[in-house]
Amino acid sequence: MIDALPDDDDLAELFAALALDAGAAIMRVYHGGDPNARLKKDASPVSDADILAEEIILKGLARALPQFPVVAEEASESGALPKLGGGDFILVDALDGSKEFLNRRDSFTVNIALIRKGAPAVGVVFAPARGEFFLAGGKAWTFSAEPGGKVPSRGDWRVLHTRTMPKRDAIAVASLSHRDPETDAFLSQLPVKDVVSTGSSRKFCLVAAGQADVYPRFGRTREWDTAAGDAVLRRAGGIAVDRAGATLVYGKEAGKFVNGAFIAWGDPRAAVFYAERAALSPG
């Protein structure tokens, strides 16, 4: 147990170490044959990799940060939901992009985020099959790391910044498994040249890294799907907003942690500009 609460960079490093260990468990299942895939009550897939990775993260958080309630995807399915009481808490999606994992694609991620006053304050996103790591503490950073390895020294972390939305030839990212006609209609109103399709919270991170400008999502997500990537995006200078232009809020306990539609922007000014000119508000 950590007696004195660490600062955000220390928390990010702690989360990163847990994500690396969880990533190792995921990759053992990925390379080991039958992942024992099955469907949950909501018809989404789950495998042994999801369960093993979540166990590693929950045990690590219980040892190091027992003062924080933890809302984790698979535990929540069995009814293990803590009472938050309006305080800070941690969101865990130990394997985001289960469809990508089961289809042998490489864009699944491990997500851990601290929510403070309704906003993601610290977060890590690890794509173990790609060796990509993104994290948010006092700033947003990225580094390369192998599953089961050590967190690199902070001198090897590279700072992330979003970019200004271009007036032409913008780049969008969209879901690989959940793209819909509403997404295409939205993107048709923007000066988008290319659309990159990828899975999981990695989409937030591409915007945070200045490799893309906008990521719309109109289908159903849960807070553990988005919090870590949203933390990275915010620390890199971006923003994720709902249809009305309000910043995403976390801790919707009564609503079972379900998100509404949202749009992640690298350039916050673009969120205002296109909301006013492209009729992006409700109705």
Side-chain angles (χ1 to χ4, degrees), residues 12-281:
E13 192 163 0
L14 170 64
F15 289 176
L18 293 175
L20 287 169
D21 289 344
I26 289 169
M27 295 310 293
R28 285 195 294 271
V29 177
Y30 187 79
H31 293 303
D34 182 9
N36 189 25
R38 57 268 194 198
L39 294 179
K40 297 187 288 189
K41 293 178 182 178
D42 63 359
S44 64
V46 65
S47 73
D48 288 348
D50 298 78
I51 304 302
L52 291 171
E54 184 170 293
E55 287 178 353
I56 289 169
I57 294 170
L58 293 183
K59 287 179 181 178
L61 291 174
R63 287 194 304 268
L65 300 169
Q67 64 269 52
F68 290 114
V70 180
V71 177
E73 179 178 16
E74 307 312 332
S76 72
E77 288 293 317
S78 62
L81 280 171
K83 295 294 183 182
L84 302 183
D88 299 348
F89 69 100
I90 295 171
L91 282 165
V92 173
D93 188 349
L95 177 49
D96 183 26
S98 293
K99 289 183 178 179
E100 315 312 321
F101 174 84
L102 294 172
N103 285 318
R104 310 292 296 175
R105 295 192 284 258
D106 64 2
S107 55
F108 50 88
T109 59
V110 180
N111 300 340
I112 309 172
L114 172 69
I115 306 302
R116 181 182 297 137
K117 296 181 180 180
V122 178
V124 299
V125 175
F126 178 40
R130 301 177 63 91
E132 292 177 339
F133 214 110
F134 304 91
L135 71 166
K139 297 180 181 178
W141 294 276
T142 186
F143 53 75
S144 297
E146 293 301 316
K150 299 293 185 182
V151 180
S153 64
R154 295 187 189 182
D156 293 325
W157 300 4
R158 302 184 303 279
V159 175
L160 293 177
H161 293 291
T162 59
R163 68 178 190 175
T164 300
M165 178 82 170
K167 295 181 179 178
R168 54 186 295 180
D169 296 341
I171 298 173
V173 281
S175 175
L176 192 59
S177 299
H178 303 283
R179 187 164 169 179
D180 52 31
E182 190 171 5
T183 297
D184 293 334
F186 170 80
L187 292 177
S188 72
Q189 301 177 75
L190 304 180
V192 169
K193 178 183 179 182
D194 295 314
V195 180
V196 177
S197 294
T198 189
S200 72
S201 58
R202 186 169 178 266
K203 295 183 285 293
F204 282 98
C205 299
L206 293 182
V207 179
Q211 298 176 32
D213 301 292
V214 61
Y215 158 41
R217 180 62 186 267
F218 298 108
R220 184 176 184 269
T221 60
R222 305 288 280 272
E223 292 184 14
W224 48 73
D225 296 314
T226 61
D230 192 0
V232 174
L233 177 64
R234 294 189 196 203
R235 289 292 184 262
I239 190 171
V241 298
D242 63 18
R243 289 181 184 271
T247 305
L248 293 191
V249 174
Y250 291 81
K252 300 181 290 294
E253 196 170 359
K256 298 182 178 180
F257 303 96
V258 173
N259 293 317
F262 66 84
I263 305 153
W265 299 90
D267 183 350
R269 294 171 298 180
V272 176
F273 181 90
Y274 287 104
E276 292 175 347
R277 288 158 178 79
L280 304 184
S281 296

